[in-house]
Amino acid sequence: MDDLQKLTGLASVKQDVDSLMNLVRVQKMREDRGMAHFDMTLHLVFTGNPGTGKTTVARILARLYQQMGILSKGQLIETDRSGLVGEYVGQTAIKVKSVAESALGGVLFIDEAYALAKQEGTDFGQEAIDTLLKFMEDHRDDLIVIVAGYRKPMEAFLDSNPGLRSRFNKFIDFPDYQPQELLEIYQGMCEKHGLHSSAGSLKLMLAVFAKLYQARDETFANGRLVRNFYEKIITCQANRLAQKTGKISDEELCEIRVEDVKNALLGGAGRNIS
């Protein structure tokens, strides 16, 4: 659980996971001691905008389940519609079984799972769902499936097949990061690469994140937005240092200045906040 607690923000997610782990732990104790217990549905639905840490939390959950003896391996296999649905008759079942078999002993994470729901024209999404549900039933003791995506489309997806709603009845919602949390993510990226930002640049960054957060919609990219902005900033820092004549000090190599942030905004990162 330490890895989960170290993540920036996600207070409600951490609480949900903690409660889930407590339930699993107690039921496992009862089972190991030969006491009456109920069979839990451990498959999960993760909802929220992009970049809110869904894949990261899924990976942590896989390791936790392995440590508790629920899963034999604890690996995370990520996929989406393209990894499960074929273009021709007979391809889909083969693709689903191949991906699902690679996830045995761990967690299968399906991003934007709602895209599996039947689309117009010839489509094998329903075949993928049916094949997956059968595989889940056949391997219920050593496979956990987590489906993820925006909340409303995921609700519609679960309603598209009676078997889905019965197997995925636990939702964990991932809220958007607050401006201060976005800044903490940015500072973490800087720290990881031995960079430090001036007080002025941090103040400007917080203002940028506050404005982006205020104007956010369902396309708000959260952590991905921070990463993209960070990459623009370090590019601007590199361009600034490349123009300098003479020796560049260690401190200069590691410092992010206000002008780097401003140049990153002018370069396109700030189009959504103007």
Side-chain angles (χ1 to χ4, degrees):
M1 291 293 288
D2 287 345
D3 289 341
L4 181 65
Q5 296 304 323
K6 289 177 183 177
L7 296 178
T8 299
L10 302 177
S12 61
V13 173
K14 293 173 183 176
Q15 184 176 358
D16 284 343
V17 171
D18 187 52
S19 294
L20 178 61
M21 290 299 102
N22 289 339
L23 177 60
V24 171
R25 189 176 294 110
V26 170
Q27 291 301 313
K28 187 72 165 56
M29 289 172 61
R30 293 177 62 87
E31 179 183 3
D32 292 343
R33 298 180 189 185
M35 298 179 179
H37 64 282
F38 66 90
D39 292 328
M40 295 176 293
T41 300
L42 297 178
H43 307 301
L44 298 167
V45 182
F46 284 1
T47 58
N49 283 339
T52 46
K54 295 187 289 294
T55 306
T56 299
V57 172
R59 187 173 290 109
I60 292 173
L61 271 174
R63 292 199 300 267
L64 288 173
Y65 281 135
Q66 191 273 331
Q67 291 168 8
M68 297 170 67
I70 304 298
L71 295 172
S72 60
K73 298 178 181 178
Q75 80 278 22
L76 178 79
I77 301 298
E78 300 177 54
T79 191
D80 55 16
R81 177 186 166 87
S82 65
L84 299 173
V85 179
E87 297 181 11
Y88 307 103
V89 174
Q91 286 186 332
T92 296
I94 295 173
K95 293 183 74 170
V96 172
K97 289 178 182 177
S98 177
V99 173
E101 285 174 355
S102 70
L104 277 176
V107 170
L108 176 61
F109 182 85
I110 306 176
D111 198 17
E112 297 182 346
Y114 48 79
L116 291 173
K118 187 175 181 180
Q119 300 178 1
E120 294 182 1
T122 302
D123 183 79
F124 302 108
Q126 187 59 52
E127 182 184 357
I129 294 172
D130 294 340
T131 305
L132 178 62
L133 288 175
K134 185 178 187 307
F135 195 94
M136 290 166 61
E137 184 62 29
D138 292 344
H139 302 276
R140 58 188 305 174
D141 294 330
D142 205 21
L143 176 68
I144 291 174
V145 179
I146 298 177
V147 292
Y150 297 115
R151 175 130 202 152
K152 288 184 178 179
M154 288 304 297
E155 290 279 7
F157 166 66
L158 295 176
D159 288 337
S160 70
N161 186 301
L164 286 171
R165 181 66 73 174
S166 64
R167 287 170 176 80
F168 296 96
N169 55 18
K170 173 62 176 175
F171 283 68
I172 296 182
D173 188 61
F174 287 68
D176 290 328
Y177 289 108
Q178 299 283 327
Q180 184 61 46
E181 293 171 341
L182 294 171
L183 185 65
E184 289 176 17
I185 294 172
Y186 165 77
Q187 288 180 285
M189 291 178 181
C190 288
E191 182 178 342
K192 180 179 179 180
H193 298 103
L195 300 171
H196 66 269
S197 298
S198 67
S201 69
L202 290 176
K203 183 178 180 180
L204 177 57
M205 287 292 298
L206 183 58
V208 169
F209 290 142
K211 198 165 185 179
L212 286 168
Y213 181 83
Q214 189 70 26
R216 76 191 189 284
D217 56 22
E218 66 175 14
T219 65
F220 187 62
N222 289 282
R224 297 178 194 174
L225 177 151
V226 178
R227 175 172 293 280
N228 290 339
F229 203 177
Y230 170 79
E231 291 176 356
K232 289 178 181 293
I233 289 172
I234 61 175
T235 298
C236 290
Q237 183 223 30
N239 289 337
R240 171 173 57 80
L241 293 176
Q243 297 174 13
K244 180 179 173 62
T245 58
K247 185 178 180 180
I248 299 174
S249 68
D250 290 351
E251 181 179 355
E252 288 175 308
L253 279 173
C254 297
E255 184 183 28
I256 301 296
R257 299 180 178 178
V258 171
E259 60 192 284
D260 300 324
V261 178
K262 288 183 176 179
N263 287 332
L265 289 169
L266 291 172
R271 280 199 298 267
N272 293 330
I273 64 168
S274 58

